[in-house]
């Protein structure tokens, strides 16, 4: 079955065409995402600059490729023109239609999401207090397993569990707990669930984060089918 080639004019008739000179930067890591960019002519080097200032080349994107995709609000990578290049600026909200109509764009979007997740996870793990977030991820995973073993929806974390109890169990402040929950929300792992508290939206990634740092205390002390939460 042939997949129809993505046509820019079908997406946005007034899309802006932008010209880049050789070595000109299209976007930097940390820039707020404003558009998707489809390469019309030329090529872009997509790369990451590590804390030690070394650069890791992710890919060379060519004519027909779309860059700037992902799930984060800000770019996790940078893109620079390898030669004189022209890109078509597309609205961010065109991503659903784009990935539905173009199999290559869908594959590139999936790769971008995984790459952003990995880069964000690495940033968390290499930041000042990685263990705390990993512990929180492991805590939520354990709660999900307990819910499942007791016949409840494993994805729903009941709001009857007070923040002060969780913060005390993890040895952090309530404010720190709130910031870490926001981090997990931004990573797409959890979301608010009205009338329930919160919902785990990506168990696979939450489990991957919880496995980043082995912690015997968490493995032995987090609640399971035979244990009760502190204060319960």
């Amino acid at each position: 079955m042939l997949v129809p080639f993505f046509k820019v004019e079908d997406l946005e008739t007034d899309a802006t065409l932008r010209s880049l000179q050789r070595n000109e930067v299209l976007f930097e890591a940390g820039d707020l995402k404003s558009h998707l960019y489809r390469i019309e002519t030329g090529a872009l080097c997509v790369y990451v600059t590590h804390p030690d200032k070394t650069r890791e080349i992710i890919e060379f994107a060519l004519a027909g490729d779309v860059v700037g995709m992902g799930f984060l609000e800000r770019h996790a990578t940078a893109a620079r023109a390898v030669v004189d290049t022209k890109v078509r600026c597309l609205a961010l909200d065109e991503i659903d239609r784009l990935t539905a109509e173009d199999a290559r764009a869908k594959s590139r979007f999936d790769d971008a999401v995984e790459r952003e997740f990995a880069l964000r996870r690495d940033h968390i793990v290499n930041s000042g207090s990685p263990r705390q977030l990993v512990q929180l991820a492991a805590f939520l995973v354990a709660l999900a397993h307990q819910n499942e073993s007791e016949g409840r929806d494993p994805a729903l974390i009941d709001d009857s569990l007070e923040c002060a109890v969780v913060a005390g169990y993890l040895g952090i402040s309530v404010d720190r707990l709130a910031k870490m929950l926001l981090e997990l929300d931004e990573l797409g792992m959890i979301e608010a669930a009205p009338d329930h508290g919160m919902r785990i939206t990506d168990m696979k990634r939450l489990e991957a984060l919880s496995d980043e740092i082995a912690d015997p205390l968490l493995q032995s002390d987090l609640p399971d089918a035979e244990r009760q939460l502190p204060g319960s």
Side-chain angles (χ1 to χ4, degrees), residues 60-199:
F60 289 100
L62 306 175
D65 290 337
V66 178
V67 299
M69 297 185 288
F71 74 99
L72 296 174
E73 292 185 352
R74 295 180 180 275
H75 292 287
T77 60
R80 184 185 298 269
V82 178
V83 295
D84 290 350
T85 300
K86 292 183 178 181
V87 298
R88 184 80 59 177
C89 302
L90 305 172
L92 292 174
D93 59 9
E94 295 287 4
I95 188 63
D96 290 338
R97 184 177 176 186
L98 168 61
T99 55
E101 295 182 357
D102 188 339
R104 176 169 171 75
K106 176 63 167 62
S107 176
R108 289 180 59 80
F109 173 74
D110 292 341
D111 288 344
V113 168
E114 289 301 318
R115 181 164 57 244
E116 285 191 342
F117 171 75
L119 290 170
R120 188 74 175 119
R121 181 193 60 200
D122 290 346
H123 171 74
I124 290 170
V125 171
N126 292 324
S127 65
S129 303
R131 184 175 294 275
Q132 293 175 348
L133 193 67
V134 173
Q135 288 175 335
L136 175 58
F139 186 86
L140 295 176
V141 169
L143 286 178
H145 291 167
Q146 177 172 294
N147 285 345
E148 186 174 26
S149 69
E150 296 178 356
R152 299 190 297 270
D153 186 341
L156 292 176
I157 306 300
D158 198 292
D159 58 5
S160 63
L161 185 62
E162 296 181 0
C163 289
V165 173
V166 178
Y169 186 64
L170 297 176
I172 59 177
S173 68
V174 174
D175 286 344
R176 175 60 181 156
L177 174 61
K179 290 178 181 178
M180 292 195 298
L181 289 172
L182 181 59
E183 287 270 13
L184 295 180
D185 191 339
E186 291 175 346
L187 283 170
M189 298 183 196
I190 64 172
E191 66 180 8
D195 302 324
H196 291 286
M198 77 175 68
R199 178 184 290 106

